[in-house]
Amino acid sequence: MKSLFTVYVIFLLVSFSVKEGGSNGEKRTCPKSSIQVIQGPSGSTHYGIPQYNVMIMNGCESSCSGVHLSCGQFVSANFINPKIFNRIVINDCLVNNGAPIKFGQILSFTYSNTFKYPITVTSATCH
């Protein structure tokens, strides 16, 4: 978890120093690099199944909504609040129930599975 925290701190330092163009109120597609997904082993287990911590961070200068992630056939042995992270269909997971994620906001959850899922950003809209 310590290395995950270090990556998070580096992300915040880089994010707050980057500015994006665009008019106020204008909607545009966020660069995929603006929404960061960082995950790593938590070091604990859920009934013997490894757990992984996930942090989803918005580095866009504005809030972003409709954040979708490529998540394969994601499933977890432990409950994940579907308002934070929800697999809609195979390989499409919705973050924050589609609601805006503010600049600098971090959403996090822990899942349990025998392996770490590759999770990447597929789309988001900045306001």
Side-chain angles (χ1 to χ4, degrees):
M1 188 66 182
K2 201 172 209 178
S3 64
L4 193 58
F5 178 75
T6 303
V7 170
Y8 160 69
V9 169
I10 291 169
F11 167 79
L12 284 180
L13 291 173
V14 171
S15 294
F16 286 111
S17 66
V18 174
K19 302 278 185 195
E20 293 183 30
S23 309
N24 287 338
E26 177 184 318
K27 289 187 178 185
R28 63 194 184 284
T29 303
C30 289
K32 288 182 182 181
S33 61
S34 295
I35 306 291
Q36 294 291 312
V37 178
I38 299 173
Q39 66 173 317
S42 72
S44 55
T45 62
H46 178 76
Y47 295 104
I49 302 170
Q51 290 190 311
Y52 300 90
N53 293 322
V54 179
M55 291 190 303
I56 302 164
M57 301 169 280
N58 178 11
C60 288
E61 191 175 86
S62 57
S63 63
C64 294
S65 61
V67 177
H68 286 262
L69 305 176
S70 170
C71 56
Q73 295 184 17
F74 185 89
V75 67
S76 176
N78 65 289
F79 176 77
I80 299 170
N81 184 342
K83 292 180 180 179
I84 294 174
F85 183 83
N86 186 23
R87 190 183 95 185
I88 299 171
V89 295
I90 291 175
N91 208 32
D92 185 14
C93 291
L94 184 63
V95 178
N96 202 32
N97 212 26
I101 303 170
K102 296 176 185 174
F103 172 59
Q105 184 177 355
I106 300 166
L107 299 170
S108 62
F109 64 92
T110 300
Y111 71 91
S112 300
N113 204 304
T114 54
F115 61 90
K116 181 174 86 170
Y117 281 95
I119 301 173
T120 58
V121 178
T122 55
S123 64
T125 303
C126 288
H127 306 276

